[in-house]
Amino acid sequence: MDPPAHTRYRRLLTGRFTVRRMRLLEPRIERVAADHLDAMAAAGPPADLVPAYALPIPSLVICELLGVPYADHDFFQDRSTRLALPGRDAQGATADLAAYLTELVGRKRKEPGDDLLSELTGELTDEEATNVALILLVAGHETTANMIALGVFALLHEGLAYEEDAAAGAEEELLRWLSVVHLGVPARAAPEDVEVAGVTVRKGETVALSLPAINRDPAMFEDPEALRLDRAEARRHLAFGHGVHQCLGQQLARIEMRIGYRALFGRFPDLRLAVPATEVPLRTDAAVYGVASLPVTWITGSPAG
């Protein structure tokens, strides 16, 4: 959407995702991370970090924020993963999620709770609330879960230590270097003839934006192919988009990433890959890049663990 229709939804949701409100969630996110690390430690190595840690953190948080019963998280995790894949499977997943959320919106309208979805039913029609909930539910965990897992893989593969106090924040450099959503909105239409880098894009023609190319632009970043956790200019990245369509939940994603990395490496400072890096399966056929699984191990009985 573009303004003014987009502005109506944006204004309705912006206040729910302010920095202040997202920071209030930090103790809960820290507790979720600690609980899953406790479970990993109790089970012992090795572990697949994707289902054991990376997926549950954003999934549980977005469920609580929206008011989606966490008992149903397996259902929407499966459907949102399929949603990111090409073909008819994505269409079926969209239909399943829409049907589920339509029923949930109806329940929230009759019996509202202290959650975002209940608030939305007071401002939007059932169809509008369902569509907004669908976007928030999928965007609120699929991208962040992949950033946590892929970020850990990148750090372990590159032999880098996570340093929370790095100049720009290590998570900003990981966002720049990885760009898990490789394409911006695929169909950007030119409202008039415009010249870009010597190429004329005619009115009505569409272009696709490559976020990795943008985030590794040598005109913006020194030695852009290198992963440098102390990179001062890392926050110039466009992993969250730009302008009026910039990611609504970016502060929540940043907090989940920062807590996720800090807690994991604080508990298991000797964390390492349990298989050769070449054997880690990558999600190369999905709209959101990541790892399908991430086998890791650590030394049991270490002081932190």
Side-chain angles (χ1 to χ4, degrees):
M1 289 182 172
D2 288 316
H6 171 262
T7 306
R8 174 181 171 236
Y9 291 103
R10 188 79 183 189
R11 285 176 177 169
L12 179 63
L13 292 167
T14 297
R16 274 83 168 182
F17 288 90
T18 62
V19 174
R20 183 185 64 83
R21 293 188 74 164
M22 293 303 97
R23 284 179 177 168
L24 293 175
L25 294 173
E26 287 190 20
R28 179 57 183 146
I29 299 171
E30 289 171 346
R31 183 69 264 161
V32 171
D35 287 346
H36 286 82
L37 290 172
D38 288 344
M40 283 176 57
D48 183 349
L49 202 70
V50 173
Y53 189 71
L55 263 176
I57 293 176
S59 295
L60 182 55
V61 172
I62 198 64
C63 278
E64 292 186 357
L65 195 63
L66 280 173
V68 174
Y70 190 64
D72 297 336
H73 78 284
D74 285 339
F75 165 81
F76 81 76
Q77 277 182 8
D78 171 73
R79 298 310 190 276
S80 61
T81 298
R82 287 165 47 192
L83 194 64
L85 299 173
R88 293 184 178 179
D89 203 34
Q91 298 175 2
T94 302
D96 289 348
L97 280 170
Y100 170 83
L101 290 170
T102 297
E103 191 274 333
L104 184 61
V105 165
R107 277 192 279 148
K108 296 291 184 182
R109 191 174 294 282
K110 294 177 181 178
E111 299 179 6
D114 184 21
D115 55 71
L116 179 55
L117 197 52
S118 294
E119 292 180 27
L120 291 176
T121 59
E123 303 283 348
L124 302 173
T125 66
D126 283 2
E127 182 180 11
E128 289 173 328
T130 297
N131 289 336
V132 170
L134 179 62
I135 293 171
L136 295 177
L137 189 61
V138 175
H141 89 276
E142 183 73 8
T143 50
T144 308
N146 280 286
M147 265 305 308
I148 292 174
L150 193 61
V152 171
F153 181 36
L155 292 171
L156 297 179
H157 183 258
E158 297 293 315
L160 297 174
Y162 174 73
E163 298 178 7
E164 184 185 4
D165 297 327
E171 62 273 8
E172 300 298 336
E173 173 65 351
L174 287 167
L175 283 162
R176 181 199 72 83
W177 200 68
L178 294 169
S179 300
V180 295
V181 180
H182 281 183
L183 294 178
V185 177
R188 295 272 187 178
E192 58 188 29
D193 289 358
V194 60
E195 185 173 304
V196 181
V199 177
T200 299
V201 180
R202 301 296 181 186
K203 179 180 179 179
E205 290 183 338
T206 58
V207 296
L209 307 180
S210 171
L211 292 182
I214 293 170
N215 287 336
R216 298 193 182 193
D217 183 354
M220 293 297 294
F221 305 100
E222 182 182 352
D223 191 15
E225 297 300 320
L227 177 62
R228 294 182 357 210
L229 301 185
D230 61 348
R231 185 185 295 274
E233 75 274 20
R235 205 177 178 99
R236 295 177 185 171
H237 68 75
L238 298 185
F240 290 117
H242 177 70
V244 296
H245 296 288
Q246 194 169 147
C247 177
L248 187 71
Q250 62 182 286
Q251 299 307 330
L252 176 59
R254 284 187 167 102
I255 291 170
E256 289 175 335
M257 288 172 59
R258 185 173 67 251
I259 291 175
Y261 296 141
R262 180 183 65 200
L264 176 65
F265 289 105
R267 176 68 70 90
F268 303 122
D270 57 352
L271 191 76
R272 61 185 185 275
L273 294 175
V275 298
T278 54
E279 294 182 14
V280 174
L282 301 174
R283 288 163 47 105
T284 57
D285 59 348
V288 180
Y289 191 53
V291 291
S293 66
L294 186 63
V296 294
T297 189
W298 59 92
I299 299 174
T300 59
S302 60

